Amino acid sequence: MSRRPARRGMPRDWSGRLLIAAATLSFLFGVLGFHNAGVSDPWEVAYLSFQLFFMNFVTNIGGEELQMNPFLQAARFGALITAVWAILKAFFPTVRQNIRRWLRLRGKACAVILGYGPVGQAIGAALWRQDGGIRRVTAVHPAVTPELTARARMDGVLLIEGDPSDPRVFDRVYAGKAERIYVSDTDDLRAIDTAVAVRRHLPSPERDIRVVLNDSAVAAQIAEATVAGFLGAPNLRWFSIADEVARLMIADARFDRFALESGAERMHLAIVGCGSQGEAIAVEALLTAWRVGLGPPKITFLDRAPSAIEARMRSRIPAWFAQPEGGALYPAARPDFEFLPCYAETLDFAHDPRIDGLRARVSGWVFATGDDALNLRASLALHRAIAACHIDPAPIYIRTPTGHVEDAPDLSANPLGFAHTFGSIDSVIARSPLIDEDPDAFPRTLHSEYLKAEHEMFGRQSEDWRSLPETKREANRALFRHAVMKIEDFGAVAVIGADGVPRTHPRLAATLRAVDENLAYDRIDQESDIQAWLKDRTSLVEVDKDTALLIRDAAICEHNRWTTERALAQFLPTARPDRRMRNDVRRLHNNMHDWFELGDAETRRYDVVMLRALLSQRIEATHLLLKKARVRTVFLAVNSEAGTCVAHVAGNGTLRGDVSELRLHLNARTAPNEPADLVSVVMRCLAPHIDRQRHLPPARIRFDFTKQPNERILALANLVADELRRKLPDTTLIEGFWNWRAAGSPVVGVVGHRDLSAFGGNTPVTERLRQVFMDLVIEKGVDQLVTGYALGADQAAVEAWATLGLPNPVLLFPFAGYGDDGKRVLFTENPSAATAQTTIEEEDIKKITDRSMLTICDGHIGQAGELLRRTNVVVFVIDRGGAARAGGTLDTLRRAGEIQREIILIEPRP
């Protein structure tokens, strides 16, 4: 998702504006000077001041010598300098360019960009916008065009024409004085050629040279290959645009979180079009999608040449396939790949049987073909299929690598849309570590903390960051990109500090440390008898037993992630977990086996080191955090006709305490004519939950859409999201959660007694039913109620359902007839014993539901059968003390059990 990069306050084309300011100031000084010298006619004063710019200074007027004064002196020299400056700027660009080059020789904080293509332009713009220690930028490009010159001028870049790999050009742009040198080219071989030429010209290993490649696979391997004698040069920093795009997009999209929250078994990503960019996204997803509660990730590739993609993945991750020298990855760490042949231009998302496996529980769609227009058309076709309920909703990410020339916001005015763009080069570069003074500042900091935790746990330390080979540095970078997920899996809330390091509540570290020290890791098994996991003569309280389970699950998750990362580095597992079989040269690793097969306690415990290091980070004084993640769900029932809104809190229904996440269900039975008119009433309902004087601001606000929203309800939700954005800090994430089911949602039915005196009356039952309905909406996406309308439980259910703003219920009546006036009436009891309370005129039904939602059954037995036929979940408001009668509550409960309906009981409280 593209975000606007920060700007510097000063204008980029400052020389032109400064020239105008100097000319204006010189003219004003001339006016003041001539006036003080005795010239009284204002038109004469203006004319004489204007003549100064043509080096025509009048010393006497009418035979009288003008009296010199400081204003005239300043005007004379200012006009001269301004005139010369304007002539050089307009007619002698080479002289002006040489002056700017000379300033870079004398100045400091300079950077040189060798290759001013799209990537080089983005680097220049990002260096200007951000305060990353660079104040002056010089770029070299083989063929300078007027368009490139205009772009360079906008970004404050001095653009020189020449061969970026020519050592004579290096001297011309004073590369030896530059603090940073960037190499970029549309051709990776030319980029490597230029990088080698720079390194030969500037052999000092301290020189900061950063090379930007296009191919993700090349960038991942060349650092290690160079040290072993391949192309390139030592002490270069290698980057890939495809990798940077993938990392930022995956970090923004959080497909892993969507999979967890939507109840999926694993993160399943569908990538349409798999060139270098699609491959980079797949690799990053494999590295970050490991979560406690999710299985190994699945990637589905949809492309015209699936066999070529499969061959590339075989080369990239050979351990995914069985190998003669070592086994394949064990099941818990083995991702699932699927390669489907298709052409995005003609793919029918609604009906094509080839994608039937993608119609449910997909965590995200990524369109990464090389054609921007094709990405847009194909993603629009997918969106149409989702809207028509052929495919479950999931976030859609559309690649637009060209994007905008400058700022590249997400191409949607709606904050809650589930389609997003990514890959705009300017935005990616502006947010990439490529621009930072130290690209490895974040991983370097976390590695230092890792060493401290390692020494505390084992009494020794691994190599420091400087001593690590590039392959281990890259492995650590991947580990640290998983840091936030580790904290979330521990049930904690993370806040990102100014240094990019995630931090959480300090007491969690003490809890983890106390439990970790008591665990005998070689005794931990898949059973839940935690006492058997402990060291001799130790015990844990009940709360700490929950922590022990979290530690075990977090260690297993990290081990599976690490195994996949080693597989991506082309390591293979040995035949068995035997240290003597390890061979780093042949890339055989003895620890790439199931965590429970690693019998050594120390090896198992190493998978907890990073979590311990993360929880040990000191929180800044300005940050207040909850110890554990806490979610509050609020149902906002909007009455569009009355212009009101009522809030109901799921769970215990209280507002006590702070929350880390606020989840909102915005419901209205009738769509509002003017959504903007209802924003204020909705915000008043939300005020107690976002009052910053009473509560910490939530880290996240999620708008839940468990059914496809009406366009006006969606418009209202977007307006409320915009208002929340204005009231809450920028650190609060506000997003939509689209989680209805294309196959349809479950239907809930309610059956119960008429006499609710044993429950305390109608009001307590109504509240308990409301909480049950909210839980069913949250957990199962229920969006339809089927019930009768008899006194007692039936009417309490209708009232509870209505107060949540949910759709009109389906009402079942056992009997119908005609009144004395000839109008059709409905009976909730046998007509022979009908009373005013058990008789309802059909015309009055519209006050409760639509007449189309009305069904007449054949007596109470038929009513019960119809309810069971239509529902998936049945709530029984039941007191078991009475006798069962045919079609009654107890009889219906028996029948529901026989046909295996899900049953929820509401019984009198003791």
Side-chain angles (χ1 to χ4, degrees):
M1 188 188 307
S2 302
R3 294 180 180 172
R4 293 181 184 272
R7 283 180 175 274
R8 282 189 187 170
M10 60 190 302
R12 283 178 287 187
D13 194 11
W14 58 270
S15 61
R17 299 190 183 193
L18 188 59
L19 178 61
I20 294 173
T24 303
L25 195 61
S26 299
F27 180 80
L28 292 176
F29 279 167
V31 170
L32 290 172
F34 283 114
H35 179 75
N36 292 341
V39 181
S40 57
D41 184 2
W43 292 105
E44 185 69 17
V45 168
Y47 180 74
L48 293 174
S49 300
F50 184 71
Q51 279 187 312
L52 293 176
F53 293 98
F54 297 92
M55 275 74 80
N56 185 11
F57 178 62
V58 178
T59 58
N60 63 80
I61 297 179
E64 294 186 9
E65 192 75 19
L66 292 178
Q67 296 179 358
M68 294 299 296
N69 57 68
F71 287 111
L72 272 180
Q73 293 287 18
R76 290 171 61 191
F77 286 101
L80 174 64
I81 293 172
T82 302
V84 173
W85 188 352
I87 292 170
L88 290 176
K89 183 177 177 63
F91 302 107
F92 299 96
T94 304
V95 175
R96 177 171 171 264
Q97 189 180 78
N98 288 332
I99 293 174
R100 293 182 67 191
R101 286 196 307 110
W102 181 82
L103 290 174
R104 280 153 173 73
L105 173 63
R106 299 299 179 185
K108 296 181 179 179
C110 299
V112 172
I113 303 173
L114 300 176
Y116 199 60
V119 174
Q121 295 168 38
I123 293 172
L127 290 173
W128 182 262
R129 290 190 186 103
Q130 299 181 7
D131 293 326
I134 298 298
R135 305 298 300 178
R136 297 178 177 86
V137 181
T138 303
V140 179
H141 198 69
V144 175
T145 63
E147 291 78 12
L148 287 180
T149 302
R151 174 70 193 260
R153 186 182 301 113
M154 288 177 61
D155 293 330
V157 175
L158 172 60
L159 183 57
I160 306 294
E161 187 168 24
D163 182 358
S165 63
D166 189 345
R168 294 171 296 180
V169 174
F170 302 156
D171 292 331
R172 187 181 172 197
V173 298
Y174 307 119
K177 295 286 185 178
E179 294 191 10
R180 263 179 252 164
I181 299 176
Y182 292 94
V183 178
S184 70
D185 201 295
T186 54
D187 184 275
D188 285 348
L189 274 176
R190 284 202 303 264
I192 295 172
D193 173 46
T194 302
V196 171
V198 174
R199 175 53 72 203
R200 287 174 178 169
H201 190 75
L202 304 170
S204 171
E206 302 300 322
R207 186 67 61 186
D208 189 353
I209 303 174
R210 307 179 186 184
V211 189
V212 185
L213 302 178
N214 299 290
D215 194 297
S216 168
V218 173
Q221 301 177 42
I222 193 167
E224 181 184 9
T226 296
V227 177
F230 192 66
L231 302 179
N235 300 312
L236 299 176
R237 299 191 185 189
W238 302 91
F239 296 84
S240 164
I241 289 297
D243 286 339
E244 298 304 316
V245 168
R247 289 165 187 167
L248 290 173
M249 190 272 283
I250 293 294
D252 287 341
R254 289 301 305 273
F255 297 122
D256 61 295
R257 183 166 60 193
F258 183 87
L260 272 174
E261 294 178 350
S262 63
E265 296 180 355
R266 57 185 171 184
M267 192 283 295
H268 182 184
L269 184 62
I271 302 177
V272 181
C274 189
S276 178
Q277 184 62 78
E279 184 178 336
I281 291 170
V283 168
E284 186 64 17
L286 291 176
L287 291 173
T288 56
W290 296 94
R291 297 294 302 273
V292 172
L294 292 181
K298 179 177 180 179
I299 311 289
T300 298
F301 301 95
L302 297 95
D303 197 274
R304 287 183 293 181
S307 58
I309 298 171
E310 182 175 356
R312 292 210 314 268
M313 295 308 295
R314 282 178 177 271
S315 173
R316 192 78 183 261
I317 181 170
W320 188 68
F321 307 91
Q323 300 291 327
E325 292 186 314
L329 292 176
Y330 57 92
R334 189 175 189 270
D336 187 7
F337 295 146
E338 186 176 14
F339 307 92
L340 299 180
C342 76
Y343 181 43
E345 181 76 58
T346 58
L347 180 61
D348 182 358
F349 288 95
H351 305 103
D352 196 320
R354 290 176 297 177
I355 63 169
D356 284 349
L358 301 174
R359 300 196 181 280
R361 299 297 185 184
V362 172
S363 308
W365 293 81
V366 177
F367 290 83
T369 72
D371 185 338
D372 295 357
L374 177 57
N375 288 333
L376 182 60
R377 289 195 301 272
S379 59
L380 189 60
L382 170 64
H383 183 273
R384 188 164 53 247
I386 291 174
C389 289
H390 293 291
I391 298 176
D392 284 354
I396 300 173
Y397 280 79
I398 309 158
R399 182 193 183 196
T400 56
T402 51
H404 295 264
V405 172
E406 290 185 273
D407 296 340
D410 197 14
L411 303 184
S412 174
N414 299 322
L416 302 180
F418 63 84
H420 310 276
T421 55
F422 74 97
S424 174
I425 293 178
D426 280 50
S427 294
V428 169
I429 294 295
R431 297 175 57 200
S432 166
L434 176 67
I435 302 302
D436 296 342
E437 190 169 356
D438 180 7
D440 286 327
F442 168 50
R444 192 191 303 273
T445 300
L446 276 186
H447 184 70
S448 175
E449 297 301 322
Y450 181 95
L451 296 182
K452 293 177 184 177
E454 183 184 30
H455 184 267
E456 182 181 323
M457 295 171 69
F458 303 106
R460 62 178 182 275
Q461 289 186 176
S462 303
E463 306 156 285
D464 63 16
W465 185 263
R466 292 183 179 180
S467 303
L468 289 176
E470 185 60 28
T471 50
K472 288 189 176 181
R473 288 187 183 183
E474 186 55 38
N476 283 339
R477 293 182 190 116
L479 168 63
F480 302 146
R481 291 197 297 275
H482 198 252
V484 172
M485 292 76 157
K486 295 185 188 305
I487 292 176
E488 291 177 358
D489 280 340
F490 201 66
V493 182
V495 63
I496 307 299
D499 55 0
V501 177
R503 292 174 170 83
T504 189
H505 198 286
R507 294 181 186 174
L508 290 172
T511 302
L512 172 64
R513 189 178 296 108
V515 176
D516 173 61
E517 297 293 344
N518 286 326
L519 290 176
Y521 279 83
D522 54 345
R523 300 179 182 178
I524 296 178
D525 54 24
Q526 300 184 48
E527 305 300 325
S528 57
D529 182 9
I530 299 172
Q531 189 62 39
W533 302 354
L534 304 180
K535 296 177 181 178
D536 296 335
R537 295 182 295 278
T538 59
S539 62
L540 295 175
V541 298
E542 203 62 35
V543 175
D544 288 343
K545 289 182 179 180
D546 294 337
T547 302
L549 277 172
L550 287 173
I551 291 175
R552 182 199 66 177
D553 293 344
I556 294 171
C557 182
E558 165 55 21
H559 182 71
N560 293 338
R561 187 211 62 82
W562 171 86
T563 301
T564 300
E565 186 279 322
R566 289 291 80 195
L568 283 165
Q570 301 190 337
F571 274 82
L572 299 172
T574 54
R576 57 184 183 278
D578 186 344
R579 179 68 180 84
R580 294 169 297 180
M581 301 182 70
R582 178 170 174 174
N583 189 327
D584 288 344
V585 175
R586 300 180 67 86
R587 295 184 181 262
L588 297 173
H589 208 298
N590 59 299
N591 288 335
M592 292 175 65
H593 294 271
D594 193 285
W595 192 82
F596 291 105
E597 294 182 15
L598 305 175
D600 181 50
E602 185 174 291
T603 303
R604 288 184 172 188
R605 195 181 181 203
Y606 253 101
D607 290 313
V608 184
V609 177
M610 189 68 246
L611 179 61
R612 189 155 165 172
L614 287 170
L615 297 186
S616 300
Q617 295 295 299
R618 292 184 179 180
I619 192 70
E620 298 174 19
T622 55
H623 289 139
L624 298 174
L625 281 175
L626 295 171
K627 185 176 180 181
K628 288 286 186 177
R630 185 182 176 198
V631 176
R632 178 184 297 154
T633 302
V634 180
F635 279 69
L636 300 165
V638 176
N639 187 325
S640 304
E641 297 173 354
T644 60
C645 178
V646 179
H648 298 281
V649 180
N652 57 22
T654 66
L655 301 180
R656 290 177 295 180
D658 298 312
V659 296
S660 59
E661 183 171 327
L662 195 61
R663 296 179 179 176
L664 306 179
H665 290 253
L666 187 62
N667 301 313
R669 283 196 166 178
T670 57
N673 292 325
E674 295 294 338
D677 295 342
L678 294 171
V679 174
S680 59
V681 297
V682 175
M683 291 303 297
R684 280 197 293 272
C685 282
L686 287 175
H689 306 278
I690 60 172
D691 186 351
R692 297 177 67 178
Q693 294 183 347
R694 297 173 54 192
H695 303 294
L696 294 175
R700 182 185 182 213
I701 294 181
R702 195 183 83 178
F703 284 78
D704 285 16
F705 299 99
T706 55
K707 62 180 182 298
Q708 191 166 358
N710 176 282
E711 62 181 34
R712 292 179 183 174
I713 295 296
L714 181 57
L716 175 59
N718 278 298
L719 290 171
V720 172
D722 284 330
E723 189 66 22
L724 288 170
R725 168 55 58 224
R726 285 189 284 271
K727 290 182 176 295
L728 293 171
D730 292 339
T731 53
T732 298
L733 176 65
I734 301 176
E735 60 185 357
F737 180 62
W738 312 80
N739 196 33
W740 68 83
R741 291 286 165 259
S745 300
V747 178
V748 61
V750 174
V751 179
H753 299 304
R754 292 157 183 78
D755 182 7
L756 301 179
S757 57
F759 298 83
N762 276 41
T763 301
V765 172
T766 301
E767 178 56 34
R768 292 175 70 179
L769 282 167
R770 183 161 41 233
Q771 290 295 332
V772 168
F773 291 153
M774 287 191 284
D775 291 340
L776 287 172
V777 171
I778 294 168
E779 297 170 7
K780 300 180 180 296
V782 167
D783 66 351
Q784 189 176 75
L785 168 67
V786 179
T787 186
Y789 199 64
L791 295 173
D794 288 358
Q795 292 190 9
V798 171
E799 180 183 353
W801 186 263
T803 58
L804 296 176
L806 296 170
N808 287 328
V810 174
L811 296 184
L812 307 178
F813 286 87
F815 306 101
Y818 292 92
D820 295 337
D821 56 1
K823 293 183 179 180
R824 186 174 172 82
V825 294
L826 308 170
F827 301 101
T828 61
E829 300 296 338
N830 195 305
S832 62
T835 66
Q837 292 179 316
T838 63
T839 305
I840 302 171
E841 291 189 7
E842 192 172 23
E843 290 296 324
D844 293 335
I845 286 294
K846 63 183 180 181
K847 301 176 183 178
I848 307 167
T849 187
D850 296 332
R851 295 179 66 178
S852 61
M853 309 291 283
L854 180 66
T855 301
I856 310 301
C857 306
D858 185 13
H860 287 109
I861 296 176
Q863 182 187 33
E866 184 68 15
L867 185 143
L868 293 175
R869 184 183 68 82
R870 292 191 179 202
T871 58
N872 309 95
V873 182
V874 186
V875 181
F876 288 89
V877 181
I878 188 168
D879 182 359
R880 298 177 186 268
R885 65 181 178 84
T889 301
L890 292 174
D891 181 57
T892 307
L893 175 61
R894 177 188 59 78
R895 293 170 63 183
E898 290 175 353
I899 61 176
Q900 298 182 341
R901 290 290 183 266
E902 183 177 344
I903 296 172
I904 299 174
L905 298 180
I906 296 180
E907 299 180 281
R909 290 191 172 117

